[in-house]
């Protein structure tokens, strides 16, 4: 897709079977509904492509991996159905990652906030730079990380998830994220990160595809109820975003720093 002020999602595929899905939005790689839908479609497309062996999930720029939900779009939500539909966009991306038959490697080059942490958690393996601090800011704006919580908790465990959620205004370092299982590897800078991504994905692409598919199934055992679970969670967030508290908090965030 061509780049626009509304952001874009791109898809490329190398001859050795490495698919790269990259998203970009000028507002710190935040994700409005359109980009969430495009991400879901490309993840499904890559998963169904017999020529694809492994998927890289990345974003543009070098400062922020993903700032989570689009605050501009959240402020436009006027009823609970629209709210549930918006948050279902994150549910669809997570479930697309979960159900894909291909191993997904996330490249987290910068900060991840809210839904961005959920994207990292939805990957099967996550490489990050030392600049990739994380924060779950949802409580600070009057909602909660309900949709992404199963994916994040699955990676970091309930105590660490509780810390992230309750310390809603605080960033945790990339090293903290690695120590608690969200990041598998952390690199000093983006150049080192990109070299490691190339090396890892080329190795994965050379492995037996059926073995990779079997591994993927093992990695996601016990998550068969997530289609229904994440949809239910999206409805909770969709209701809360309508409150005066949340609408005012969103306005304050947009006026200052996210």
């Amino acid at each position: 897709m061509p780049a626009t002020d509304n952001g874009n999602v791109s898809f490329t595929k190398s001859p050795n079977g490495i698919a790269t899905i990259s998203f970009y939005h000028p507002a710190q790689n935040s994700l409005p509904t359109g980009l969430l839908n495009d991400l879901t479609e490309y993840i499904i497309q890559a998963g169904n492509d017999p020529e694809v062996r492994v998927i890289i999930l990345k974003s543009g720029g070098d400062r922020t991996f993903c700032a989570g939900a689009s605050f501009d779009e959240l402020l436009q939500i006027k009823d609970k159905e629209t709210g549930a539909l918006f948050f279902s966009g994150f549910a669809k991306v997570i479930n697309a990652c979960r159900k894909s038959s291909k191993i997904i490697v996330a490249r987290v080059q910068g900060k991840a906030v809210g839904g961005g942490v959920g994207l990292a958690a939805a990957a099967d393996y996550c490489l990050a730079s030392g600049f990739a601090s994380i924060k779950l800011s949802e409580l600070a704006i009057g909602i909660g990380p309900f949709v992404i919580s199963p994916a994040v908790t699955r990676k970091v465990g309930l105590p660490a998830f509780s810390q992230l959620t309750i310390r809603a205004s605080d960033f945790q370092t990339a090293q903290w994220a690695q120590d608690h299982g969200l990041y598998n590897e952390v690199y000093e800078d983006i150049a080192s990160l990109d070299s490691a991504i190339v090396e890892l994905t080329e190795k994965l692409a050379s492995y037996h595809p059926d073995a990779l598919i079997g591994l993927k199934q093992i990695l996601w055992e016990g998550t068969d109820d997530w289609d229904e679970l994440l949809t239910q969670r999206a409805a909770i967030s969709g209701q809360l975003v309508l409150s005066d508290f949340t609408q005012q908090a969103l306005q304050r965030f947009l006026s200052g720093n996210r």
Side-chain angles (χ1 to χ4, degrees), residues 132-135 163-164 167 170-177 183:
S133 54
I134 64 172
K135 179 171 70 171
Q163 181 178 346
L164 279 174
R167 289 285 187 178
D170 300 339
F171 275 101
Q172 304 299 328
T173 66
Q175 186 59 56
W176 186 97
Y183 298 156

Side-chain angles (χ1 to χ4, degrees), residues 8 26 58-59 137 161 213 247 254 256:
N8 67 92
K58 60 182 290 189
S59 65
S137 59
F161 174 76
I213 291 171
Q247 293 293 305
L254 285 174

Side-chain angles (χ1 to χ4, degrees), residues 87-119:
F87 287 103
S88 290
F90 283 95
K92 290 175 182 176
V93 172
I94 292 172
N95 278 320
C97 291
R98 173 179 67 88
K99 293 189 284 188
S100 174
S101 63
K102 309 301 165 60
I103 297 294
I104 298 175
V105 176
R107 170 191 180 269
V108 184
Q109 82 284 14
K111 291 180 178 179
V113 179
V117 179
L119 287 186

Side-chain angles (χ1 to χ4, degrees), residues 11-20 46 49-56 102-103 201-202 204-206 212:
F11 174 88
T12 60
K13 184 173 65 174
S14 69
N16 60 348
I18 300 172
T20 300
D49 188 336
E51 295 180 353
V52 171
R53 300 292 185 87
V54 60
I55 300 169
I56 298 172
K102 309 301 165 60
I103 297 294
T201 55
E202 287 182 349
L204 286 172
S206 71
L212 293 174

